[in-house]
Amino acid sequence: MRSGIDQPLGRTPLKATSGLYALLRCSLGYGRDLDASRRGASLVTCMHVLLGVLSYAVVFLSPPAHVLAQDEPKADAPADVPAEAKGDDAPAEKKRLGRLVRVGLPIESGDDARIRSSIERTIEPLGEQTPRHVLVLEFYVKPNAERGRQEEYAQASQFGPAYELAKYLSELSRVQKIAYVPTLATGHAVLVAMACDEIHMAADATIGAAGVAEEGIVDPVRRSGYNVIFERRRTIPLAIALGMLDSDLVVYRVETDAGRDFVLAEDLGEFRKTRLVKGEPTAIIERGQFGKFTGTEGRNLGFVKFLPRSREHLATELELASDSLEEDPSLGDEWRTLLVRLEGPISDQLATKTIRSMDDEIATRDVNFICVRIESGGGDPASSERLANYLAGLDAGRIRTVAYIGSEARADAALVALACDHVVMQSGARLGGTPAYEIGENEIQRIRQSVATSLAPAKGRNWSLVASLIDPSIEIYRYSRQGERDVLVEYFSPEEAAEREELDGQPWQQGEAIKRGGAPLDADAALARQLRLATHVVEDFNQLKTLYNIDDELVEAESNWATELIEALAHPGLAWLLLAVGFGAMYIELHTPGLGVAGFFSGMCFLIYFWSQFLTGTAEWLEVLLFIGGVMCVLMEILVLPGFGVFGFGGAVMILSSLILASQTFIWPDNAYQMSEFRDSLMVVGLGVAGCIGIAVALRKVLPRAPLLGRVVLMPPEGAAAADIRQREAIVDLGFLVGQRGVMTTPCSPAGIARFDDELIHVVSDGDFIARGSDVIAIEAHGNRVVVQSAERA
């Protein structure tokens, strides 16, 4: 016990502390009537008082020496701390957890209550502890913004809901609040960011322009709201916050003997009276502009703490689990599941079918859990990339995507897996490694660029680590650096390490090599988990269901009759038959006068062929136009410009090219998979042409002798009848036409038809092209062969 004189002395510092607290509130700007200069002066006075109170407390509150002697335990006395809590058995520091809630922009009426409810449900299971758990508020633009106008749409947040949400956050103290801005936080969303303990932004993200949507409306209520939030959290300097709100204000950055400060132009004169200003102030917000800063600029100004590239990067800097900053799409409800299977080579048809089924299920059942079960050694890199970009583009706040790898996901199939939110691997499964189909160097470089610019940033993965699963030239090392609490460990290439050092401003120490150049990264489940490529490792698929609290079987997309019909028509086994029948019907049509059933039937066969290929994603309008152009060229050769063969040959090439291109997504194969697809396309078209030839032979040889169908075919004369016709044609003498004038009824190039009196005679020119309707003169006649020249030359 303390002596009697200690008790009153203990109350005196409490009173002084209360007075100090009141003075501290005034000096730091809690009083709205104090300007910047008065607050600076009060702060100096406050520091002197604080030192005096501390000295007073040390001298007068320390217990006498005899009291210390009485209270000190003896050497052999039991200590107050239990023995099991000492030494190596002492409890470790509690690990803090992270949670994420997304804030959609613009913040409109009712959004504040919805976000507040989501926050309460999210942090309720965490409880309270020291160090505090982390709540990350991620700002994003709502998806109903028009393309190209996201920034204008995002800055239209309403002041009332934004202020109510900011006031709630400023009073929430049991978690550490982090404002994470990956793209935009403009308009009155600035208030919400100010209410957090820290602001973290992507380097090129934007914050500010708080009053741009209400230009000219800066009433005392709005200005007071920004003052209130500033007083509670002081995340953004008040002068900068007001400069974001009011375009009539000018904000200066001032260097003083006490450090850097930010002052409004209207307060600069008073500020100079109380502080020693070094150099000339620098205007960071000019008159007529709303203050707006990138993440890099905000960090230089001191109100942005870190520049994360992704959620995972942010989690690393906050020393949280890499998968902790994920929004729960189920929001406490049951999962609405969808199981998608990717088995065998990934083709364009498989990618199109998979994307179509996911779109249909999302639209009809509002699916919020998609499991992609992958058993593939790779396939077409372009198709895998298209499917991966689709999965990466799904809203992670609405749909949780999980890739399950039972045995392997090699080469480009690994891209599809890593485009999902989570990757779950079965023990013994492989990720990456030697592909089933060799990938060309140009294709590898294209994929590497795509991974670095879109796929890896979308999922917060290290781009070099993802690209190393395909690119054998990339080397991967273990890198580390000291964080705020623990050592941070990452895995990437030296090239990405240099990029990270330039962005973070902190060096990374290179460690052991994970992968040398020469072969793609081939990771088993354990290594993939270590490299954070895999989220979980399980023994079977049932364990995955347990992991995500799924009791029922996952729902697989059911194919309807239309989908099955499209797949059947596009299959090579039926596609070649469509082409054979189409070509055969075209042959019949060309050998019969007028337009008949054969022409209609041929058109329907080719229409069905292109329609099926169009719906499976391999054909586009280019192939259709190429086919139509080819048919027109062939008809022009037969009916309009006979003789040269250029249009006929060119048209045939266009038709065959269109049919080949319609069954593949590339023009010329660049890798082994595309080469196999190209062979299949050639086989389909080749079988179609062979089928057409077979039909033509049957029509000329077999069909005329058939008992029932022989009468529908007109056969040419044979035997004596044919000889008689040849003899009569041989003795035809058209010499009487020499010197007569006629008119061309068709173009002559060099053959055509001319009218002499009332007779139509087949003629040939003497070498020049003669247009239709031109006058001609017969200059030679050899039997039934008449040579003409233009009358103009006669």
Side-chain angles (χ1 to χ4, degrees), residues 739-744 748 750 754 756 763-771 774-780 786-794:
Q740 291 191 23
R741 180 183 292 267
V743 178
M744 294 299 304
C748 188
F756 291 89
V763 299
V764 294
S765 72
D766 61 347
D768 294 336
F769 172 80
I770 304 174
S774 302
D775 292 338
V776 294
I777 296 176
I779 59 176
E780 296 180 17
V786 179
V787 180
V788 298
Q789 70 175 10
S790 175
E792 296 177 356
R793 295 176 51 197

Side-chain angles (χ1 to χ4, degrees), residues 493-652:
S493 66
E495 180 182 352
E496 187 172 1
E499 296 174 359
R500 294 281 291 269
E501 290 181 6
E502 181 179 358
L503 182 63
D504 302 341
Q506 302 181 39
W508 287 84
Q509 301 299 321
Q510 187 180 99
E512 62 179 320
I514 303 300
K515 171 195 171 296
R516 297 288 187 182
L521 176 64
D522 188 358
D524 59 14
L527 179 59
R529 183 72 180 92
Q530 175 190 340
L531 300 178
R532 305 190 192 104
L533 293 173
T535 313
H536 305 285
V537 178
V538 297
E539 294 301 324
D540 52 31
F541 191 73
N542 288 330
Q543 192 172 347
L544 176 142
K545 294 167 55 179
T546 303
L547 191 64
Y548 291 95
N549 298 318
I550 299 175
D551 298 326
D552 301 328
E553 294 296 326
L554 275 71
V555 179
E556 293 193 52
E558 296 182 358
S559 298
N560 53 35
W561 67 269
T563 303
E564 294 178 354
L565 177 61
I566 293 170
E567 293 177 358
L569 293 174
H571 192 275
L574 188 57
W576 78 268
L577 185 59
L578 282 173
L579 296 181
V581 175
F583 280 126
M586 181 184 294
Y587 173 83
I588 296 173
E589 181 63 27
L590 293 177
H591 286 75
T592 56
L595 293 177
V597 177
F600 173 79
F601 203 72
S602 175
M604 288 300 300
C605 287
F606 287 116
L607 178 64
I608 293 173
Y609 175 81
F610 280 105
W611 175 68
S612 62
Q613 303 296 339
F614 197 95
L615 292 180
T616 54
T618 58
E620 295 182 354
W621 286 110
L622 173 63
E623 287 80 7
V624 176
L625 295 176
L626 196 63
F627 179 81
I628 295 175
V631 172
M632 292 178 65
C633 287
V634 171
L635 294 177
M636 185 177 295
E637 176 68 26
I638 296 174
L639 303 177
V640 182
L641 301 173
F644 282 111
V646 176
F647 283 94
F649 178 78

Side-chain angles (χ1 to χ4, degrees), residues 61-90:
L61 295 183
S62 299
H66 68 277
V67 175
L68 293 175
Q70 291 177 358
D71 294 340
E72 183 178 359
K74 297 181 180 181
D76 55 352
D80 294 335
V81 181
E84 61 269 21
K86 295 182 179 181
D88 295 337
D89 297 330

Side-chain angles (χ1 to χ4, degrees), residues 645-659:
V646 176
F647 283 94
F649 178 78
V653 171
M654 292 172 65
I655 290 174
L656 295 177
S657 299
S658 68
L659 297 175

Side-chain angles (χ1 to χ4, degrees), residues 195-397:
C196 296
D197 300 308
E198 297 175 3
I199 298 177
H200 296 239
M201 297 176 59
D204 57 350
T206 303
I207 189 171
V212 66
E214 302 173 338
E215 188 171 357
I217 307 178
V218 186
D219 53 28
V221 174
R222 286 168 172 75
R223 186 159 183 162
S224 174
Y226 277 78
N227 275 278
V228 169
I229 301 302
F230 164 76
E231 291 170 359
R232 293 184 177 183
R233 287 298 164 193
R234 300 179 177 273
T235 307
I236 298 178
L238 181 59
I240 294 179
L242 294 177
M244 293 177 177
L245 176 67
D246 191 346
S247 61
D248 290 335
L249 299 178
V250 179
V251 181
Y252 288 100
R253 178 176 57 197
V254 181
E255 300 293 337
T256 69
D257 54 340
R260 181 174 57 187
D261 209 337
F262 302 95
V263 184
L264 296 176
E266 59 194 43
D267 298 331
L268 188 58
E270 291 296 326
F271 185 84
R272 289 180 181 272
K273 295 178 182 179
T274 58
R275 304 288 289 275
L276 177 61
V277 177
K278 298 180 180 180
E280 289 296 322
T282 303
I284 61 172
I285 301 178
E286 300 285 355
R287 188 179 306 278
Q289 300 177 356
F290 292 96
K292 188 164 63 173
F293 305 93
T294 64
T296 301
E297 293 169 341
R299 188 176 186 184
N300 293 334
L301 294 175
F303 63 84
V304 174
K305 185 171 184 181
F306 184 62
L307 304 176
R309 300 182 310 279
S310 62
R311 290 182 186 175
E312 289 70 15
H313 191 194
L314 176 61
T316 299
E317 290 298 327
L318 296 175
E319 298 175 12
L320 304 170
S322 59
D323 58 348
S324 61
L325 299 184
E326 294 180 346
E327 188 179 23
D328 183 4
S330 68
L331 295 177
D333 299 329
E334 294 183 354
W335 293 114
R336 296 178 294 278
T337 64
L338 173 64
L339 176 62
V340 176
R341 297 181 185 271
L342 294 180
E343 299 175 347
I346 298 178
S347 63
D348 196 78
Q349 292 87 341
L350 179 59
T352 301
K353 175 185 175 182
T354 302
I355 293 174
R356 183 183 293 114
S357 65
M358 287 189 285
D359 280 337
D360 291 343
E361 293 294 322
I362 292 172
T364 56
R365 295 198 297 116
D366 193 21
V367 167
N368 61 4
F369 185 96
I370 297 178
C371 178
V372 184
R373 190 163 185 168
I374 304 175
E375 305 289 341
S376 174
D380 179 20
S383 300
S384 298
E385 183 181 354
R386 182 163 67 93
L387 180 55
N389 287 331
Y390 172 85
L391 289 168
L394 293 175
D395 186 358

Side-chain angles (χ1 to χ4, degrees), residues 145-228:
E146 295 182 17
R147 184 178 297 274
R149 303 185 63 183
Q150 286 86 349
E151 183 173 358
E152 179 183 352
Y153 180 72
Q155 63 194 17
S157 293
Q158 300 175 9
F159 173 78
Y163 176 73
E164 291 299 325
L165 179 58
K167 188 169 65 171
Y168 161 74
L169 289 170
S170 66
E171 297 170 352
L172 183 64
S173 60
R174 60 192 178 105
V175 292
Q176 182 185 12
K177 303 173 294 298
I178 305 294
Y180 171 43
V181 185
T183 55
L184 291 172
T186 52
H188 291 302
V190 171
L191 267 175
V192 182
M194 290 176 59
C196 296
D197 300 308
E198 297 175 3
I199 298 177
H200 296 239
M201 297 176 59
D204 57 350
T206 303
I207 189 171
V212 66
E214 302 173 338
E215 188 171 357
I217 307 178
V218 186
D219 53 28
V221 174
R222 286 168 172 75
R223 186 159 183 162
S224 174
Y226 277 78
N227 275 278
V228 169

